[in-house]
Each structure stands twice: as structure tokens, then as C-alpha cells.
């Protein structure tokens, strides 16, 4: 169960090697979390991540999960929930993809869309059903500021996050009053493996900062969290900027 | 949450809704069922489903003791009959959903009073047993269940047992947070009174040393005793407090006019606190100003003041839904006890709270007498401090964890009926009989019919 400050005792991470998710898991383990499920494609990185969380005192189990294999989601995630209540589900898988390549090879663009959107729709709905039966829990969905307006430089990724963001908002409304809380997290540019080699955007942030914002959001039961908070007004302006002008911005 | 004004009416069909404790933190959703007869209660227990159920009264437990995510919550306020008052023996037999407020309405005109009353009248008899509540008279009278002659308990097998003191089931249920079964009715020993007024002595204590010295030296002279403590005062004033102590007024203490109806019970009520108040209304500055005003307003020393019973015992009941003043972030109440001889621990904790500037305007210190037999019962001989803190205060979780450590190290404990955040590992340290409690539950309720968010959170 979550405590009065929204700190969970059990956590399920979808995308178990995500740096943001692991930074969040470390923070939550330092508080109350004792049971952590890391779901991801089996890999040494996944086992290593589990080992590091174990050394912090948590009981960690890994589970083979592939966002693209939506047919298996019910079975894989169903087994996790059958073992006990999950207080927080962190939906953290996603790929950035290469925009140039995606434009040249539509199949790679489809893969980005299927991972970031279709996979999340499937896993999100499967988890939502179990959380609903529990009568409590939070589903934290890692969206992106990039989903707020499609940009020339990464519109494939951005559009997948836009879809995910809209989906998560709608799911939050659908679950209102069921005891289940859906929180959409919209980080800006985060310095991680995923963005290595890219020029950091203004207001760039870190996985640790996102983790801190997620923990605070759980405490406040926020529905939307921007990281950093200053992105909220900035994106508010960018979203409503005329296209002719937006197109000319160096973004 | 049932309102103190009374239940909304019979609810025989379950309603699914969000439930929180009085502190309004950590909401979860459950099926609310309101049985209005013992048979309906038994049927509800039988039909509870895989996630179990828990009895709930008027929702005054601060934390998650009376909520059950995804399962059933049995609203017991429909079982509200006062069945028999024996004015010879001084006992009352009543349903578990009867509130202490109702008991006072029925009993005071007959010259009787409840044996133990907490800071609110809006708790049910079932809740009073399940939390083994205490009041300002704990140092002389002990806790609520020490005045319970017997209760009827609906257990997981669907049977109703009459449980008497001195049995394992009694001791597990006294303070057992509803996890041993559903209390249906209880027989309670009462206290005779001649009037419905209190004679109250008020005095100020300049600091914590002064306060503890006064409580140690003179508490035994009073039936009721409590100290309001200013936890925002620092330096030399750390722990300054206002002591109010008293007893039921004898008939001859009343002015002539009041003597005509000495047992009248007319608690006043203000309009309820509005909904949707912002967070942070009770910040350090506003609470600091209030505390300074409250301390200075109190007389240095005043004796024999006549107060209404409701003013003395239940000042906050005058403002329905006062818990809303903490905003939607809610609040936590932290109450712990440490034994006599652990004054240094108490002092260290008071200093830490003062240094951290927790905006707490409802901080109460009291000296407990000997504890009762309840396995999970909170009161034990020593010093108890209770304070309300807005839950949204940054870093509050780790801060209170630190206080828990100090309390546990001193052999003390925190009050589970008020808890919403204790680290589960500390339950067994603070409550050495928790294992016996779990063993009894495993034996009498192997399927885990009686389950609450608290029992899940603390693995009880």
C-alpha cells in the first residue's frame, strides 16, 4: 500500500533498463518500496539493474516483457499482479529512433510507433484492469514534452508520444473514482543513453530530476508533471504558436 | 466518509466509492455496504469476496485502518440501537455503530457518562474497542476496553461470539483495528455524574521541564488532565504549554440557575469548514501566530472554572469537517508514547519538531497510566505526544521515520489507529505481541476475510 505521502511499497517497472525508471526506483526503494518488478527484454543490463536495486535492500524480480509482443502482455503482466498488489506501475519503455532513417525506411518509423504507442496502449490497459480490481495504485506514464507539438527534427517520435499522452489522459479520466491514479510525466530533453550524442535542448534535465518530480507527483497525486516545471509555460506558448512561425524556429 | 450529522440513510446495495481516513491521505476505492441488522452484517461478511472487508464507523481513524482497497468496507453506523441502560449497575448495552455522542445524549440525563472519551464524541463504540481509545483520564481510568464487560464479535466463520475480558480473543480485539472480526454490540461500564459541567483548572507551563514537573507532581489529583503544547516555540520556551485539568462538577458548584437542569447536554456547533480549502493555510507563520496567541490567552493560573462538557472534552467537534482546513493534501497525526524515565527521548523529539518548525497547532501531551491487556493496544505508562502536521510538508516522511527510530529505541510505540506511514519493520519492535496477533488471525481467519489497507501496509 502507498503511505500517506504516496510512497509505494511495491513497484512494477515496464522498461526495466530505462535510466529514468531506475533513478525513480532507487528513490522509491530509499523510502518504502521493498518489492520491485523489472519488466523488460531479458539482457545482462536488466539483470545488472536488478542487482543494483537489490543492493539497496529491495526484493527485485525480473520478468521477460517485450513492448512489441502485445499478444503476450496479458499473460506476462497478469502473473505479476497475481503475486500481490502493485502500488505503482511505471510505464517507462520507449525508443527515440532515428528521424532521418525513419523517413527513409518507413518500417523503422512503424517500429517506433508500435513500441511507444501501441505497446503502451496494450500494457497500460492490461495494468489498468488489474489496478482497478485492487482499488488503488498509480500508473505513471512517461510521455514527453516532444508530444506536445510535432517538430520537424523528431516528429515520428513526437507523434508517438502525442498519441501516448492523449491515451494516458483519457485512461486517467476513465479510471477517475476507481481509486487508481494515472499520472502523465512530460520531461523535456533528458540527458540519458537515449539522447547521447544529441545537442541538449534548452531546459535539459537529468533522470534524477525526473525521478524527483515523479516522487513529488505521487505525493501530490498530480495528473500531469512537467520536468522541469518551467517547461509548462514554455510549451504552452510553443503549442499555440502559428505554424508558419513555429517552422522557422531552430527546434 | 460518514458525516457527523448522521448517516445518509440505509444503503443495502453496495456503492463503490473512494474512502480515506480522517487525515484524507491515500484514498482507495471499496464497495461500501451498510448493514442495518446483525443478519445483514453476517451476510455481508459471507459475501465479502477475495479482497476481504473491514468494519468502519464514523471515519475518525486518521489513517487507513478503516479502508480496504478493492474489497468491502462495512459501514456500521446502521447498527445504532442503545439496547439497555442498567442504571442500577451503571452499564449500557448498545450496538457497535452507536456513537459516543449518542451515548452521551442518552446517558447524561440519567446521570451517567462514558468511561473514556477521546477528543471527539463522533466515534462509534465498535471503533472505540477496535482502536482501544484513550482519553484525558487514562492516568486514572485506563483505556476504553478496560471498561468493556463483554462484546459480541462476528468472526470469519460467520458465528457470533460473546467475548469477555481475560480471553485471547478479547485481548486481540481490544485495539485490534477490526482485524479479528466485526464487533456487533458491547456492554460498557459507566461513570456516575451529578452534572453535565466540568470544573477546570488551567495553568501555564513555561517550558517542557516545567510541564513534566507539574504533570508528575499533581496529575493524580485530577480525574482528567491534558496539556496543549506549543511545538513552534524554540529556545528557552521550548515545550511551553497550557495545562487544563478537571473533574465532573458536583451539584453545589453550579450557579442556582444551572441547578434546575444540571444534566442538560447542549453542545454548540458552528457551520462546517468549507470544502476545497487550499493547501498551506496552516503554514508556519499562521500557526506560529495562533500558538503564541493561544498560549498568552490562557490564564497563568485559574481554578474551578465551570466549562461545558463539550468545551472541555471535544472542542473541535464544534466545527464539523475541521479536517478540511488542511486542504486537499490532507494531514497526518503523529502520536507516540515513551515510558516514564524516557523524558530525555521526549525532550529530544520535542526539540527536533521545534527545530524543524512543523506547523502544528494541535499538539497534545499527556501522562498515561498503566497499559491494558490489548495486544495491539496503544496506551502504556509514560508520556504521549500527539500532533497534526500537513501531509504536503516536504521531507515529512523521512523526518517522521527518524522520530519513529527514536521512539522504538526508547521502547515506545506509535498509535496504529492514527498511523498512515509507519515503516512495517518497526511494528514488531513497537508491539512485541504482534506475532501472537498474527498467529491468532491465521487461526481464526485463515482466508483473510478481515483485511484493511493498514493490515496490508503493515503486514498484520
Amino acid at each position: 500500500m502507498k503511505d500517506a505521502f504516496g510512497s509505494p511499497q511495491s513497484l512494477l517497472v515496464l522498461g526495466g533498463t530505462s535510466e529514468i525508471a531506475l533513478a525513480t526506483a532507487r528513490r522509491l526503494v530509499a523510502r518504502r518500496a521493498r518489492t520491485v518488478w523489472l519488466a523488460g527484454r531479458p539482457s545482462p543490463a536488466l539483470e545488472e539493474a536488478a542487482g543494483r536495486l537489490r543492493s539497496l535492500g529491495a526484493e527485485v524480480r525480473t520478468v521477460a516483457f517485450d513492448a512489441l509482443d502485445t499478444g503476450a502482455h496479458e499473460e506476462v503482466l497478469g502473473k505479476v499482479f497475481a503475486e500481490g498488489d502493485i502500488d505503482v506501475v511505471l510505464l517507462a519503455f520507449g525508443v527515440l529512433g532515428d528521424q532521418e532513417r525513419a523517413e527513409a525506411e518507413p518500417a523503422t518509423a512503424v517500429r517506433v510507433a508500435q513500441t511507444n504507442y501501441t505497446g503502451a496502449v496494450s500494457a497500460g490497459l492490461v495494468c489498468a484492469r488489474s489496478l482497478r480490481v485492487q482499488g488503488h495504485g498509480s500508473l505513471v506514464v512517461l510521455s514527453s514534452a516532444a508530444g506536445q507539438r510535432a517538430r520537424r527534427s523528431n516528429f515520428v517520435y513526437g507523434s508517438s508520444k502525442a498519441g501516448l499522452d492523449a491515451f494516458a489522459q483519457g485512461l486517467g479520466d476513465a479510471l477517475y473514482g476507481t481509486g487508481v491514479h494515472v499520472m502523465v510525466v512530460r520531461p523535456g530533453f533528458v540527458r540519458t543513453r537515449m539522447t547521447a550524442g544529441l545537442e541538449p535542448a534548452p531546459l535539459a534535465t537529468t533522470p534524477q530530476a525526473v525521478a524527483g518530480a515523479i516522487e513529488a507527483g505521487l505525493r501530490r497525486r498530480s495528473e500531469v508533471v512537467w520536468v522541469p516545471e518551467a517547461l509548462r509555460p514554455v510549451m504552452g506558448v510553443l503549442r499555440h504558436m502559428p505554424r508558419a512561425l513555429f517552422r522557422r524556429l531552430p527546434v | 466518509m460518514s458525516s457527523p450529522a448522521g448517516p445518509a440513510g440505509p444503503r443495502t446495495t453496495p456503492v463503490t466509492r473512494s474512502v480515506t481516513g480522517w487525515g484524507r491521505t491515500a484514498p482507495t476505492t471499496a464497495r461500501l455496504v451498510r448493514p442495518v441488522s446483525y443478519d445483514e452484517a453476517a451476510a455481508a461478511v459471507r459475501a465479502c469476496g477475495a479482497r476481504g472487508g473491514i468494519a468502519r464507523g464514523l471515519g475518525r481513524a486518521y489513517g487507513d485502518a478503516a479502508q480496504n482497497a478493492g474489497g468491502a468496507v462495512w459501514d456500521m453506523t446502521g447498527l445504532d440501537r442503545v439496547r439497555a441502560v442498567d442504571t442500577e449497575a451503571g452499564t449500557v448495552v448498545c450496538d457497535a455503530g452507536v456513537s459516543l455522542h449518542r451515548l452521551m445524549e442518552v446517558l447524561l440525563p440519567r446521570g451517567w457518562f462514558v468511561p473514556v472519551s477521546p477528543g471527539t464524541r463522533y466515534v462509534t463504540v465498535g471503533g472505540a474497542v477496535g482502536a482501544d481509545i484513550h482519553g484525558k483520564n487514562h492516568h486514572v481510568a485506563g483505556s476504553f476496553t478496560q471498561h468493556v464487560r463483554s462484546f459480541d464479535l462476528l468472526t470469519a466463520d460467520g458465528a457470533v461470539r460473546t467475548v469477555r475480558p481475560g480471553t485471547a480473543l478479547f485481548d486481540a480485539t481490544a485495539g485490534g483495528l477490526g482485524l479479528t472480526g466485526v464487533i456487533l454490540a458491547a456492554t460498557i461500564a459507566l461513570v456516575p455524574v451529578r452534572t453535565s459541567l466540568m470544573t477546570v483548572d488551567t495553568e501555564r507551563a513555561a517550558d517542557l521541564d516545567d510541564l513534566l514537573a507539574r504533570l508528575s507532581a499533581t496529575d493524580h489529583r485530577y480525574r482528567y488532565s491534558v496539556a496543549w503544547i506549543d511545538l513552534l516555540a524554540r529556545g528557552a520556551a521550548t515545550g511551553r504549554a497550557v495545562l487544563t485539568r478537571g473533574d465532573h462538577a458536583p451539584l453545589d458548584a453550579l450557579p442556582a440557575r444551572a441547578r434546575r437542569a444540571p444534566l442538560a447536554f447542549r453542545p454548540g456547533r458552528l457551520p462546517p469548514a468549507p470544502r476545497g480549502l487550499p493547501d498551506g493555510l496552516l503554514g508556519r507563520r499562521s500557526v506560529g501566530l495562533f500558538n503564541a496567541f493561544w498560549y498568552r490567552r490562557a490564564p497563568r493560573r485559574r481554578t474551578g472554572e465551570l466549562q461545558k462538557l463539550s468545551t472541555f472534552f471535544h472542542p473541535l467537534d464544534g466545527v464539523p469537517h475541521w479536517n478540511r482546513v488542511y486542504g486537499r493534501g490532507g494531514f497526518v497525526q503523529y502520536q507516540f508514547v515513551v515510558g516514564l524515565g524516557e523524558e530525555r527521548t521526549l525532550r529530544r523529539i520535542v526539540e527536533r519538531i521545534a527545530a524543524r518548525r512543523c506547523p502544528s497547532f494541535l499538539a497534545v501531551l499527556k501522562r498515561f497510566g498503566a497499559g491494558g491487556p490489548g495486544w495491539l493496544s496503544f496506551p502504556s505508562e509514560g508520556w504521549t505526544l500527539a500532533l497534526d502536521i500537513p501531509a504536503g510538508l516536504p521531507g515529512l516522511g523521512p523526518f517522521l521515520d527518524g522520530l519513529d527510530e527514536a521512539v522504538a529505541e526508547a521502547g515506545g510505540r506509535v498509535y496504529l489507529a492514527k498511523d498512515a506511514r509507519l515503516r512495517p519493520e518497526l511494528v514488531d519492535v513497537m508491539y512485541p505481541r504482534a506475532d501472537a496477533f498474527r498467529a491468532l488471525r491465521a487461526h481464526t481467519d485463515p482466508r483473510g476475510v478481515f483485511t484493511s489497507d493498514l493490515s496490508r501496509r503493515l503486514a498484520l
Side-chain angles (χ1 to χ4, degrees):
Chain A
M1 299 303 303
K2 281 196 266 186
D3 71 4
F5 310 113
S7 299
Q9 291 180 315
S10 56
L11 175 67
L12 165 62
V13 179
L14 302 176
T17 54
S18 144
E19 282 168 80
I20 291 174
L22 291 173
T24 308
R26 279 197 295 279
R27 256 191 113 95
L28 297 177
V29 167
R31 290 288 306 138
R32 284 287 184 275
R34 290 293 168 273
T35 312
V36 182
W37 291 87
L38 292 184
R41 276 173 307 200
S43 70
L46 189 66
E47 290 308 322
E48 194 203 315
R52 284 187 60 190
L53 285 174
R54 268 183 212 118
S55 69
L56 299 176
E59 187 195 315
V60 187
R61 292 165 75 175
T62 56
V63 51
F65 169 84
D66 184 350
L68 291 170
D69 187 6
T70 50
H73 286 182
E74 293 230 22
E75 199 200 332
V76 169
L77 300 175
K79 276 184 189 155
V80 172
F81 279 92
E83 299 270 327
D85 284 13
I86 299 289
D87 299 335
V88 169
V89 177
L90 195 52
L91 203 157
F93 58 78
V95 290
L96 183 55
D98 182 324
Q99 177 70 24
E100 270 181 47
R101 202 172 140 209
E103 285 177 42
E105 301 168 23
T108 55
V110 168
R111 228 176 118 81
V112 170
Q114 281 180 336
T115 307
N116 294 0
Y117 179 70
T118 315
V121 166
S122 163
L125 287 172
V126 170
C127 290
R129 200 173 52 204
S130 295
L131 291 171
R132 207 184 168 122
V133 171
Q134 281 181 187
H136 74 101
S138 290
L139 175 63
V140 180
V141 177
L142 275 180
S143 175
S144 169
Q148 291 296 295
R149 179 138 200 198
R151 290 186 289 150
R152 169 70 192 92
S153 58
N154 69 356
F155 66 82
V156 171
Y157 172 80
S159 65
S160 72
K161 287 293 188 182
L164 171 64
D165 198 292
F167 165 75
Q169 288 181 60
L171 186 59
D173 292 340
L175 291 173
Y176 187 80
T178 63
V180 182
H181 156 231
V182 177
M183 183 164 89
V184 179
V185 182
R186 294 182 188 144
F189 186 99
V190 188
R191 292 190 190 88
T192 59
R193 256 188 343 261
M194 194 201 238
T195 59
L198 296 181
E199 183 71 21
L203 297 173
T205 185
T206 63
Q208 290 73 29
V210 181
I214 289 174
E215 196 188 10
L218 287 173
R219 191 177 71 223
R220 297 187 196 123
R221 296 201 291 276
S222 307
E223 292 181 321
V224 176
V225 171
W226 291 86
V227 200
E229 182 63 33
L231 268 179
R232 184 193 295 265
V234 171
M235 288 310 297
V237 171
L238 288 181
R239 273 184 75 180
H240 295 101
M241 189 174 276
R243 276 181 76 183
L245 194 61
F246 186 73
R247 215 174 269 148
R248 276 191 250 160
L249 287 183
V251 291
Chain B
M1 213 179 310
S2 300
S3 77
R11 270 199 305 271
T12 39
T13 45
V15 225
T16 300
R17 57 183 270 203
S18 175
V19 180
T20 74
W22 190 241
R24 308 210 304 164
T25 57
T28 61
T29 297
R31 271 177 301 114
L32 232 67
V33 185
R34 187 163 182 268
V36 295
S37 69
Y38 296 169
D39 286 345
E40 279 188 28
V45 167
R46 278 195 300 273
C48 71
R51 290 184 67 85
I54 193 77
R56 178 180 175 94
L58 287 163
R60 287 318 193 273
Y62 286 78
D64 51 7
Q67 49 193 84
N68 177 26
V73 168
W74 303 306
D75 173 352
M76 300 302 290
T77 57
L79 289 169
D80 59 354
R81 285 176 310 157
V82 178
R83 285 155 54 186
V85 183
D86 184 338
T87 48
E88 292 291 303
T91 56
V92 62
V93 184
C94 64
D95 286 349
V98 171
S99 69
L100 296 194
H101 174 81
R102 178 78 190 124
L103 280 186
M104 287 174 205
E105 282 178 342
V106 171
L107 297 172
L108 270 169
R110 295 173 161 87
W112 295 94
F113 191 57
V114 295
V116 166
S117 175
T120 171
R121 299 185 297 280
Y122 298 105
V123 296
T124 61
V125 166
V129 173
D132 196 13
I133 58 167
H134 57 270
K136 297 174 170 62
N137 57 347
H138 189 276
H139 60 295
V140 292
S143 57
F144 191 85
T145 58
Q146 290 173 263
H147 305 269
V148 172
R149 298 270 200 262
S150 74
F151 53 76
D152 291 342
L153 187 71
L154 174 60
T155 44
D157 53 9
V160 178
R161 294 178 160 74
T162 299
V163 185
R164 291 180 211 286
T167 59
L169 195 51
F170 188 97
D171 295 348
T173 306
L177 304 157
L179 296 170
T180 56
V182 178
I183 296 162
L184 295 176
T187 305
I188 306 156
L190 304 169
V191 175
V193 293
R194 300 298 307 278
T195 73
S196 64
L197 290 175
M198 307 295 295
T199 57
V200 181
D201 291 359
T202 307
E203 57 192 293
R204 285 198 222 166
D207 58 38
L208 190 64
D209 281 337
D210 187 20
L211 174 63
L212 299 189
R214 283 168 198 255
L215 285 171
S216 298
T218 54
D219 233 20
H220 61 276
R221 292 190 208 146
Y222 296 91
R223 191 202 291 252
Y224 299 101
S225 160
V226 74
W228 169 85
I229 179 166
D230 178 3
L231 288 175
L232 277 169
R234 286 184 292 183
T238 301
R240 70 178 176 185
V242 179
L243 265 88
T244 48
R245 299 186 287 183
D247 204 338
H248 299 283
L251 197 59
D252 58 17
L254 266 54
R257 208 156 56 93
R259 261 180 245 179
R260 269 179 261 147
L263 290 162
F265 178 53
R266 280 189 291 266
R269 297 200 90 181
L270 298 166
R275 285 172 199 279
L277 287 171
D279 292 347
L281 210 59
L282 301 178
R284 278 171 196 145
R285 181 162 310 207
S286 57
V287 173
L289 284 170
F290 170 85
N291 283 6
F293 162 77
W294 199 250
Y295 179 75
R296 286 180 213 293
R297 196 199 74 140
R300 263 174 223 291
R301 183 164 185 84
R302 179 168 59 198
T303 57
E305 183 196 2
L306 284 177
Q307 278 186 4
K308 275 173 126 176
L309 196 145
S310 50
T311 310
F312 181 73
F313 284 104
H314 321 114
L316 282 170
D317 282 347
V319 187
H321 298 294
W322 62 262
N323 55 340
R324 288 179 189 158
V325 303
Y326 286 92
R328 80 182 260 274
F331 69 104
V332 292
Q333 178 158 90
Y334 190 68
Q335 181 167 7
F336 67 90
V337 59
V338 291
L340 298 177
E342 288 294 342
E343 289 76 14
R344 273 185 50 188
T345 307
L346 176 66
R347 179 185 322 281
R348 234 180 36 235
I349 292 177
V350 167
E351 281 166 1
R352 277 163 79 172
I353 296 169
R356 194 187 157 82
R357 317 276 293 140
C358 286
S360 177
F361 74 110
L362 289 172
V364 167
L365 191 131
K366 155 144 199 75
R367 194 183 146 116
F368 275 155
W375 293 350
L376 295 187
S377 178
F378 167 68
S380 64
E381 189 161 31
W383 303 102
T384 183
L385 177 65
L387 56 145
D388 287 346
I389 321 169
L393 214 63
L396 185 59
F399 176 70
L400 292 180
D401 284 349
L403 300 192
D404 287 343
E405 297 288 339
V407 167
E409 210 169 288
R413 55 175 70 138
V414 301
Y415 194 177
L416 296 182
K418 293 184 172 178
D419 178 58
R421 32 120 338 247
L422 181 68
R423 200 149 57 82
E425 296 91 290
L426 284 178
V427 171
D428 289 74
V429 181
M430 293 178 167
Y431 290 90
R433 306 194 71 171
D435 252 346
F437 182 79
R438 286 190 196 99
L440 180 133
R441 288 222 313 137
H443 181 68
T444 61
D445 182 10
R447 287 188 304 128
V449 167
F450 304 111
T451 306
S452 63
D453 287 359
L454 181 141
S455 78
R456 284 196 187 93
R457 182 169 57 82
L458 297 179
L460 273 172

